[in-house]
Amino acid sequence: MNWRVWIPLMLFALFLGVAAYQLTQPKDDFVASGMIGQELPYFELPPAHPENPGVTTADLKEGKPRLLNIWASWCLPCIAEAPQLEALKNQGAEIVGIAIRDDPEDVAQFLARHGNPYSRIGRDDLSEVQLSIGSSGVPETFVIDGKGIITYQHIGDIRADDVPVLLEKLREAGA
Amino acid sequence: MIAELGHAALWMAAALAVLQLGAGALGIRVGEGAGIAVLSRPAAILQGALAAFAFGALLWVFAITDLSVKLVAANSHSMKPMVFKLSGAWGNHEGSMLLWVTVMALAGALIAAVERRLPERTMQATLAAQGFVALGFYAFLLLSSNPLERLPIPAAEGQGLNPLLQDIGLAFHPPTLYFGYVGLSVAFSFAVGAMLTRSVTPDFARAMRPWVLGAWVLLTLGITAGSYWAYYELGWGGWWFWDPVENASLMPWLAATALLHSVSVLASRDALRVWTIMLGVIAFSMSMLGTFLVRSGVLTSVHAFAVDPERGSFILALLAIYIGGALLLFALRANSISEGERFSVASREGALVFNNVMLSAILAVVLLGTLYPLLTEAFDVRVSVGPPYFNPVSAIFALPMLAVMAVGPLLRWRRDSFGRISKELALIAALIVAGLIFFALFEGVAILPLMGLALAIALGVASFLPLRGRNIRRLPISVWGMIVAHFGIAVALFGMASESAFSNEKLAALEVGQSTQVGPWEVKLDSIAPVAGPNWTAIEGRMLASYKGGAPAEIAPQSRNFWAPPQQTTESVLLTRWNGQLYAVMGSEADDGRWQLRLWWKPFVTLIWYGGMLMALGGVLAIIGRVRRDLKRRSIRRKIDGRRADMEDLR
């Protein structure tokens, strides 16, 4: 006995220290894609909107860096992000959209109300493409370089301060 | 009005907890019967009644869907069936905390009302400890998460309960575990009370034992049910994942199992005093630690819920006060608690001590594995610890423990020799060797499952050996309890080992009309049909499964898509035969029009859960046996007292 009876208390104090430290750390709850730095998986998506063509992997390998925006008409943050997408387009970014589990009528209504910044919109009815590129929710935006490599992932809606960041990432991807 | 009354009752209950603490503290200082110390018992009883009233008020506002109460608006809905309205009351953070404190207060009231074995001073110290622990939870509820808070403007409609929780199993699974945790809090209070008054006696152990047994039974049932739910609902074919949330309930169970055995030794042999106290503190610490890990969000889990760092800090502070305080008290007092009766290594106590050490080692293994990611994250390294660590490392301690478990009940108390039971030992050894040889004949059985299978057979037979040479009808019920519980472990072990040794898995892509083979089953994909439910659409694969060419049975697993929120779930199909289960999961369509299909044949997998139920049944038998014996003892004492009084009168 004697000194050994203090061991549990000391181990517990160690645990308390680590746990208290961890609680004060900011927590990133985002599920980051494991696909960054890798090539887009192969996919072919039919158009989600009559005015825009659909999306295939080949379209994203034509030499020009693009933004790939994962969104849906039923997603409220996507409405908040619409003006920023418009701003990105006006500053020269090409945006390719993928509508997740969406209905063409709802897509048309959404685009009529909040603007259509997309060059192409594919429909991903079973979230298969979404899952294969490592996105865990809507909205999410990926930067794809001219060779179809994912270089950057933005999780959540794009705020006004994110616009210059994304433009910079696009420039880097083009270099 | 009801909500306000409930809230007021909660404040009064908290005030009574303060009184209980003060009265008990005074009792320890100045001795029993002094001043307000006599108020301990009435305060505990009244506190229980008030907490129950507050919980009743919560149930009431949920039952009538009072949408002016914030918690109801956030977690319920006027159109839900009554059973889910009521389970909604504890299917959230605030409500479950109120349930916790209510059960704790009722347990305190029960001890105060019926427990007469302990010296009054120890009793008051125990109630003071109980009041002190409850006080922290009252503070938590009243200061940071009031369950009966009103909304400034009543909501028009509630937001409903998470659909995953709208399952009858999940309505009862959390309360079962909770009751178990709270039972351990009572054991904790007893341990603290005994340390404070330096009275670690067999009487103390007898008072603590039913609470430990009850908590252990409920934890066993809760874990068994949780594991089966994960197995059939999540569709991944496994039954244990070593997830932090699962470990959070396993750790208190391991500690409670060790405590259960050491408290029995203390009750009947007056040995292992320090061990029992230590385990009493550890068992409840593990319950609180589990609560902290699950609620604070410091660990990422597949089903972490109610995650909130602020609540996490509050629970961490409670942990620091209670567990830190109890461990400090233990360190200060342990040297003054003598070890009690001595015993030799070859004795029932010796075997129990060995197994308690092994259980504690497994607990340490699980604790380390659970906390390891937390530790490495402090150095910015993200790791996840899974079955490749937990399975072999815990087996190192579990296998010798199971072997000793087969032998222990055959040994006599205090002093024995292995020579006396040499025939039984030879039988057990022969069974193990025969099992090893027999199961090694099957192809591809790995070493751990092989040892598990052999030990399960030996343990299954050995658990009935204590019956030899005894009159079965006069055997105490508690001994039956031990036999059934140990046999349950053998049954569950056989299920686990068999599942891991003999499972067949097949991932097939079939065209309609094609069939595939998994183990002894032939499964033919008959047709694919879309089906629709109230808030989902699904693809249903209709199949014909025939066992060894017998008559085919129709099964139809589904892959469901929910729309709001968009979520894909699998409705797997389990086809149960006496010797195992066929498990079928529907996948998606492949490029060429074939359908993906995941099939498992899991021999004897159901034994895992039957074993769990047998263990719990053994615990229930032990409780019944103990309570009957106590009642008998009490009535004999009353008779003796009565006769003594008659003699006095005659004089």
Side-chain angles (χ1 to χ4, degrees):
Chain A
M1 280 302 150
N2 48 56
W3 60 270
R4 271 172 291 166
V5 295
W6 293 91
I7 295 174
L9 187 63
M10 268 140 57
L11 289 176
F12 180 68
L14 178 72
F15 161 77
L16 273 186
V18 175
Y21 171 75
Q22 281 297 330
L23 274 178
T24 57
Q25 292 310 102
K27 189 86 183 164
D28 60 9
D29 288 327
F30 295 127
V31 183
S33 171
M35 292 291 291
I36 292 170
Q38 298 194 40
E39 202 173 326
L40 281 173
Y42 175 78
F43 59 84
E44 268 179 55
L45 292 175
H49 185 53
E51 289 165 25
N52 299 77
V55 186
T56 67
T57 318
D59 300 330
L60 292 157
K61 289 184 181 175
E62 287 168 347
K64 183 182 167 197
R66 293 175 178 82
L67 292 179
L68 179 63
N69 179 237
I70 311 273
W71 66 287
S73 67
W74 43 260
C75 137
L76 293 176
C78 297
I79 298 173
E81 135 181 299
Q84 269 63 253
L85 287 177
E86 205 65 45
L88 280 164
K89 182 191 153 197
N90 293 339
Q91 295 182 53
E94 183 184 336
I95 307 170
V96 172
I98 294 183
I100 304 299
R101 294 174 183 267
D102 224 326
D103 183 73
E105 281 172 32
D106 297 338
V107 167
Q109 219 167 46
F110 183 95
L111 296 176
R113 189 173 302 165
H114 304 290
N116 184 352
Y118 302 106
S119 63
R120 297 169 171 275
I121 310 176
R123 57 186 286 190
D124 184 11
D125 288 352
L126 293 171
S127 296
E128 279 165 330
V129 174
Q130 182 187 23
L131 293 177
S132 69
I133 61 174
S135 148
S136 61
V138 280
E140 258 178 55
T141 307
F142 292 84
V143 175
I144 315 288
D145 78 356
K147 295 179 204 105
I149 312 274
I150 303 173
T151 62
Y152 182 72
Q153 179 188 23
H154 177 90
I155 296 172
D157 55 321
I158 300 170
R159 310 264 165 93
D161 347 339
D162 299 324
V163 172
V165 178
L166 282 168
L167 285 171
E168 177 58 31
K169 294 285 175 190
L170 265 181
R171 214 176 353 257
E172 280 170 22
Chain B
M1 193 58 199
I2 296 285
E4 280 68 33
L5 283 176
H7 191 202
L10 212 51
W11 274 105
M12 284 194 279
L16 281 163
V18 176
L19 175 63
Q20 210 173 305
L21 176 61
L26 207 73
I28 299 166
R29 282 209 91 80
V30 296
E32 58 186 271
I36 62 162
V38 293
L39 291 177
S40 282
R41 283 182 197 261
I45 294 171
L46 198 56
Q47 187 209 327
L50 285 165
F53 179 82
F55 188 69
L58 185 71
L59 283 179
W60 176 260
V61 295
F62 266 89
I64 63 166
T65 319
D66 182 345
L67 292 166
S68 66
V69 175
K70 194 175 160 194
L71 197 65
V72 178
N75 292 290
S76 195
H77 194 282
S78 58
M79 301 299 279
K80 274 201 308 191
M82 185 52 89
V83 57
F84 292 126
K85 280 187 181 178
L86 292 180
S87 69
W90 61 76
N92 58 73
H93 166 76
E94 286 83 0
S96 62
M97 279 291 150
L98 181 56
L99 175 65
W100 173 299
V101 82
T102 302
V103 178
M104 217 177 134
L106 285 174
L110 189 62
I111 313 172
V114 303
E115 188 52 56
R116 303 277 164 203
R117 274 169 293 208
L118 290 182
E120 199 55 28
R121 241 178 106 232
T122 308
M123 194 61 220
Q124 281 160 3
T126 300
L127 288 175
Q130 181 86 2
F132 189 43
V133 176
L135 196 58
F137 287 90
Y138 284 124
F140 194 11
L141 281 167
L142 292 168
L143 304 179
S144 105
S145 34
N146 172 16
L148 291 160
E149 190 181 330
R150 293 269 190 197
L151 286 171
I153 302 157
E157 185 49 279
Q159 293 169 354
L161 179 67
N162 179 349
L164 266 178
L165 299 178
Q166 292 201 34
D167 179 288
I168 197 74
L170 278 202
F172 293 100
H173 164 67
T176 312
L177 283 178
Y178 260 46
F179 281 83
Y181 290 163
V182 175
L184 291 178
S185 83
V186 177
F188 174 83
S189 301
F190 272 117
V192 171
M195 279 195 281
L196 282 172
T197 56
R198 291 194 170 87
S199 100
V200 184
T201 59
D203 272 336
F204 147 78
R206 275 181 215 121
M208 187 198 223
R209 182 162 55 189
W211 296 94
V212 180
L213 265 172
W216 183 84
V217 167
L218 291 165
L219 287 174
T220 307
L221 282 177
I223 292 171
T224 305
S227 151
Y228 192 63
W229 175 81
Y231 171 77
Y232 81 76
E233 184 63 38
L234 300 183
W236 56 286
W239 55 275
W240 193 262
F241 191 70
W242 297 105
D243 177 84
V245 174
E246 289 177 323
N247 293 347
S249 60
L250 179 67
M251 290 189 288
W253 183 86
L254 288 167
T257 310
L259 175 59
L260 185 62
H261 290 95
S262 93
V263 83
S264 289
V265 173
L266 179 54
S268 52
R269 313 300 310 171
D270 195 14
L272 302 186
R273 292 180 187 164
V274 178
W275 249 116
T276 308
I277 292 284
M278 182 74 230
L279 287 170
V281 172
I282 296 281
F284 179 58
S285 307
M286 290 302 144
S287 308
M288 280 203 65
L289 185 73
T291 312
F292 168 71
L293 291 179
V294 175
R295 293 291 163 95
S296 65
V298 295
L299 287 180
T300 320
S301 148
V302 288
H303 49 338
F305 57 101
V307 165
D308 179 349
E310 199 176 308
R311 287 170 187 166
S313 320
F314 208 119
I315 303 180
L316 192 65
L318 292 185
L319 265 173
I321 297 169
Y322 297 139
I323 311 306
L327 289 174
L328 180 67
L329 184 63
F330 175 78
L332 293 173
R333 287 286 159 90
N335 291 326
S336 67
I337 303 169
S338 66
E339 249 317 322
E341 296 288 322
R342 309 222 150 234
F343 51 85
S344 74
V345 176
S347 65
R348 181 88 70 94
E349 289 99 321
L352 279 165
V353 168
F354 179 82
N355 275 1
N356 269 356
V357 173
M358 290 298 117
L359 275 169
S360 309
I362 299 171
L363 174 60
V365 165
V366 178
L367 184 64
L368 190 67
T370 312
L371 294 182
Y372 191 71
L374 189 70
L375 201 65
T376 59
E377 238 176 72
F379 303 100
D380 259 344
V381 183
R382 285 205 172 195
V383 293
S384 65
V385 182
Y389 159 78
F390 286 108
N391 285 342
V393 182
S394 55
I396 292 174
F397 302 103
L399 292 173
M401 179 185 82
L402 291 161
V404 171
M405 214 181 108
V407 178
L410 305 172
L411 289 166
R412 286 189 185 138
W413 292 108
R414 270 194 71 197
R415 176 182 290 273
D416 202 350
S417 71
F418 291 114
R420 190 184 63 80
I421 55 165
S422 57
K423 269 189 210 154
E424 286 90 343
L425 284 178
L427 173 68
I428 293 169
L431 280 170
I432 293 178
V433 172
L436 284 173
I437 294 170
F438 176 76
F439 289 110
L441 294 178
F442 292 90
E443 228 172 286
V445 178
I447 182 76
L448 283 181
L450 177 66
M451 292 201 275
L453 287 165
L455 266 176
I457 301 277
L459 182 59
V461 174
S463 38
F464 291 100
L465 287 180
L467 289 178
R468 257 171 42 110
R470 298 184 70 162
N471 184 338
I472 289 184
R473 259 179 290 167
R474 298 195 54 186
L475 205 60
I477 301 179
S478 55
V479 175
W480 279 113
M482 176 192 78
I483 289 170
V484 171
H486 284 187
F487 182 65
I489 291 189
V491 170
L493 176 66
F494 191 85
M496 295 171 197
S498 166
E499 195 261 352
S500 101
F502 303 121
S503 273
N504 280 302
E505 181 178 359
K506 184 73 159 266
L507 179 63
L510 298 183
E511 275 171 41
V512 171
Q514 279 187 330
S515 38
T516 185
Q517 197 84 29
V518 56
W521 289 85
E522 173 150 342
V523 179
K524 182 181 169 197
L525 182 59
D526 208 34
S527 67
I528 292 282
V531 282
N535 55 348
W536 47 265
T537 54
I539 292 178
E540 187 177 88
R542 294 187 183 140
M543 305 164 205
L544 293 172
S546 66
Y547 180 75
K548 286 186 175 162
E554 211 183 278
I555 54 174
Q558 295 177 344
S559 164
R560 277 187 194 172
N561 287 306
F562 286 84
W563 289 99
Q567 193 175 7
Q568 194 171 37
T569 66
T570 53
E571 294 297 306
S572 47
V573 167
L574 299 175
L575 205 57
T576 308
R577 291 288 176 270
W578 67 272
N579 58 349
Q581 272 184 332
L582 176 71
Y583 192 123
V585 176
M586 190 66 208
S588 52
E589 190 177 7
D591 304 334
D592 52 0
R594 294 186 302 168
W595 291 87
Q596 283 182 356
L597 197 59
R598 229 188 158 97
L599 298 166
W600 284 275
W601 165 241
K602 295 177 171 290
F604 298 108
V605 67
T606 43
L607 292 186
I608 297 174
W609 304 290
Y610 286 129
M613 287 192 276
L614 278 173
M615 282 186 242
L617 174 66
V620 171
L621 289 177
I623 296 175
I624 294 173
R626 295 299 171 199
V627 170
R628 270 182 46 163
R629 188 183 287 185
D630 278 356
L631 289 179
K632 205 179 275 176
R633 217 175 254 171
R634 206 177 277 187
S635 85
I636 289 172
R637 199 173 295 166
R638 211 174 296 136
K639 261 182 216 156
I640 293 173
D641 288 349
R643 205 157 292 165
R644 200 171 286 152
D646 291 346
M647 299 280 274
E648 295 283 319
D649 286 347
L650 281 176
R651 244 179 234 171

